[in-house]
Amino acid sequence: MANIEIQEEYTELITQLKALANADNATGMSRFGISSANTLGVSGKDIRRLIVQAGHNHPLAMLLWDSGIHEARIMASLVAESRKVSPQEMETWVKDIDSWDICDLCCNNLWYKTPFAYEQALKWTYREEEYVKRAGFVLLTALAVHDKKAPDEKFVLFFPRLLAEASDERNYVKKSVNWALRQIGKRNLSLNKAAITLGEEILAQNTRSARFIATDALRELKSPQIQERLSGSRKKPTDA
């Protein structure tokens, strides 16, 4: 697609987004911790409807992201092409993130598909910025869910990071550590046992964030439902 066509498509999408702006929705979103900066209040359903025709279009995604508009950045995470994403682009985007939903959508829509997802996730867990650190753990969570063939060692490598960052009291960090621990522990029995052991180590830290992370994760990972699913012992319903 020629540059002028991409620019025209971008301009049309931004025009349509702005036409759907809803100040009440934007205010309501802020109550859920979503940044109100450059937020139009357009619903996720409408965002997805607008980009149906766009398909995957990396240059268009770059323009949408650079607009700084909250909903346009959601669009960018959906239309960007994972095979064309570079670590440098990921770094640029993650530095721009000012809201947990944009962080999570970039990780779950796009970044986990890149060939350097594990490397970026590990690197970001060492960063101090709240949303960058969250991105590291949410990207790890996405990999735990979607990378079905990954060996256990890829996830065990992150255990020291989960343990170290369990003391971070910031809301969006501790929730992401909890999320990652739970999803890793639900992959298979071996990782379940390892995650439970790690959860008990975290609990022993006895800080407020560590108690939140570990108590919730251990409850789920030790539950009969998870144990039965992982062991393959859940009974199938018999035919009537």
Side-chain angles (χ1 to χ4, degrees):
M1 185 180 292
N3 287 340
I4 190 168
E5 293 175 329
I6 294 170
Q7 185 65 50
E8 288 174 350
E9 185 169 6
Y10 162 77
T11 301
E12 178 62 22
L13 283 172
I14 295 298
T15 299
Q16 291 177 325
L17 268 181
K18 289 181 176 178
L20 293 169
N22 186 314
D24 289 339
N25 284 352
T27 300
M29 290 162 66
S30 69
R31 290 196 288 269
F32 291 94
I34 296 173
S35 173
S36 59
N38 295 314
T39 299
L40 302 176
V42 181
S43 71
K45 180 180 179 181
D46 282 333
I47 289 171
R48 290 179 180 274
R49 177 177 58 80
L50 289 177
I51 63 168
V52 167
Q53 299 302 318
H56 290 292
N57 186 327
H58 206 65
L60 177 60
M62 297 301 103
L63 290 175
L64 289 167
W65 186 270
D66 288 343
S67 73
I69 298 171
H70 186 91
E71 289 82 357
R73 286 182 167 175
I74 294 175
M75 285 183 168
S77 75
L78 292 164
V79 304
E81 299 171 76
S82 59
R83 63 187 176 84
K84 293 184 179 180
V85 173
S86 69
Q88 293 75 24
E89 286 175 353
M90 290 174 70
E91 189 63 34
T92 297
W93 282 27
V94 81
K95 288 178 180 177
D96 287 339
I97 291 174
D98 64 352
S99 194
W100 65 265
D101 64 325
I102 297 293
C103 173
D104 294 5
L105 289 168
C106 284
C107 293
N108 286 288
N109 291 339
L110 178 63
W111 288 338
Y112 83 87
K113 302 173 186 176
T114 65
F116 28 79
Y118 287 95
E119 177 184 350
Q120 289 296 113
L122 185 61
K123 181 172 70 174
W124 286 342
T125 66
Y126 284 93
R127 294 275 286 278
E128 284 307 310
E129 307 99 306
E130 184 171 10
Y131 290 118
V132 179
K133 193 180 294 288
R134 179 181 175 87
F137 289 115
V138 175
L139 184 50
L140 172 61
T141 301
L143 289 163
V145 172
H146 297 290
D147 193 1
K148 305 295 187 184
K149 296 181 179 180
D152 291 357
E153 292 75 18
K154 283 201 169 188
F155 300 99
V156 173
L157 179 66
F158 284 84
F159 280 17
R161 301 303 307 136
L162 291 162
L163 184 62
E165 299 303 332
S167 60
D168 194 320
E169 295 287 348
R170 291 176 294 180
N171 192 46
Y172 296 123
V173 174
K174 68 182 181 183
K175 286 186 175 181
S176 65
V177 173
N178 168 269
W179 195 9
L181 180 61
R182 288 187 292 109
Q183 292 303 327
I184 290 171
K186 290 189 287 186
R187 281 180 63 87
N188 57 51
L189 271 177
S190 176
L191 281 174
N192 178 264
K193 292 177 182 178
I196 287 173
T197 298
L198 179 60
E200 290 168 346
E201 290 181 50
I202 290 173
L203 187 62
Q205 292 180 1
N206 201 32
T207 64
R208 185 170 58 181
S209 61
R211 289 193 298 271
F212 164 79
I213 290 164
T215 301
D216 179 70
L218 290 170
R219 182 187 304 113
E220 181 174 15
L221 296 179
K222 291 181 177 181
S223 69
Q225 295 88 342
I226 295 300
Q227 292 300 313
E228 288 172 8
R229 178 175 69 80
L230 294 178
S231 65
S233 62
R234 179 175 291 179
K235 295 181 179 179
K236 297 181 180 180
T238 56
D239 293 334

